[in-house]
Amino acid sequence: MDISGVEKIGDKSMMLLAEALEISRIKNLFLSFRSCRALSDVGVQAIVNALPSSVTLLKMDLGDCEISDASVDALSSQLQHMQHLGVIQVNLHGCKEVTETSISRFVGKLPWTLRGAKLDLSDTCLPKDIQRICRRLTTMRSWMPSKPQSQIKNPTSTNFVQLEPEKVGLELQRSEERRVGKECRSRW
C-alpha cells in the first residue's frame, strides 16, 4: 500500500487501517507513508501494533514523516511477536526526531532468524557510522550483543559480539577492502 505524500492521511486514517491489518493473514507487507506530514507517532504506533504475526516480509517507508523514537520503539516491541519474519526493511530517511537510543534498541531486538534487514537512516541526526552500520543485517548484527548458540537458528554461523561504532566502521572498511580484493582476483 503506497499512500506517500498524501497530506490528509493522518492518525485517524491509520487507526482504520490498523483495524483491517489486525484481522489479516498477510505474508508480504509493503507500507509506504513517505512524506505524510499529518502522520504522527500515534498513527504509526497503531499500525505497528496491528502488524500480523504472519508477516514474513515487511517493508515500511516512514521517510520524511514527523515521527520520533516512540514509533521506532513500538516497532521494536512488535518484532518479538513476528516469529515468521524473514526480511525487514524500514526507511526513516529524514526523520529528525529519531535518536541513536531507539535505533540501538531496534537493532538489539532484531530476531536472529532474520535473513535480511535494512534500515535507511540517511538525512537523520544520527552519526554517519551508525547510518552505515544499519544498511545491512550483517553489520547490524556486529553491533548487537552476542546470543547463545542455542538461540541462533544456524548454530554453525558466526556468533556476533557487541562492538563500538568506531570498531564497526573499521571492520566495514576492512570488509570492503577484502571484497574489492576478491573481485580483482576473480577477474584475473
Side-chain angles (χ1 to χ4, degrees):
M1 173 182 289
D2 186 350
I3 54 174
S4 301
V6 180
E7 293 186 25
K8 302 261 183 200
I9 296 291
D11 296 336
K12 288 182 182 179
S13 301
M14 292 303 105
M15 304 277 188
L16 294 172
L17 179 59
E19 288 177 19
L21 274 177
E22 284 180 325
I23 59 171
S24 72
R25 301 248 186 258
I26 295 173
K27 297 267 185 209
N28 299 326
L29 187 55
F30 303 88
L31 298 170
S32 181
F33 306 115
R34 176 180 276 281
S35 300
C36 292
R37 302 275 184 208
L39 181 61
S40 74
D41 288 324
V42 173
V44 172
Q45 289 171 347
I47 290 293
V48 165
N49 291 334
L51 290 174
S53 62
S54 60
V55 171
T56 58
L57 169 66
L58 176 62
K59 289 187 177 183
M60 193 170 209
D61 187 349
L62 298 168
D64 296 315
C65 289
E66 302 295 322
I67 61 169
S68 69
D69 286 345
S71 292
V72 178
D73 286 338
L75 184 55
S76 298
S77 296
Q78 189 63 14
L79 286 174
Q80 64 191 359
H81 304 291
M82 302 176 77
Q83 300 89 5
H84 304 288
L85 188 63
V87 177
I88 186 170
Q89 185 174 356
V90 181
N91 181 0
L92 297 171
H93 170 90
C95 296
K96 304 285 187 198
E97 300 299 316
V98 172
T99 68
E100 188 175 338
T101 303
S102 67
I103 295 302
S104 64
R105 282 192 295 262
F106 174 83
V107 170
K109 290 193 176 187
L110 287 174
W112 283 86
T113 55
L114 277 181
R115 293 181 309 278
K118 181 178 181 182
L119 190 53
D120 183 351
L121 300 170
S122 58
D123 200 25
T124 62
C125 298
L126 294 163
K128 296 289 184 203
D129 57 340
I130 300 298
Q131 291 178 31
R132 197 170 35 255
I133 287 168
C134 292
R135 289 183 191 154
R136 293 179 37 218
L137 178 62
T138 53
T139 54
M140 280 191 257
R141 285 200 169 145
S142 67
W143 193 32
M144 290 192 280
S146 62
K147 293 260 184 179
Q149 290 290 344
S150 62
Q151 291 182 6
I152 300 174
K153 194 172 191 176
N154 178 4
T156 60
S157 67
T158 307
N159 195 15
F160 298 95
V161 296
Q162 188 171 12
L163 297 174
E164 292 83 36
E166 303 82 38
K167 290 182 181 176
V168 173
L170 181 59
E171 189 57 37
L172 282 172
Q173 181 181 356
R174 288 179 184 153
S175 175
E176 183 66 15
E177 289 169 355
R178 285 192 297 269
R179 185 187 64 75
V180 169
K182 285 180 184 177
E183 285 178 6
C184 290
R185 285 192 298 276
S186 67
R187 290 182 191 158
W188 296 102

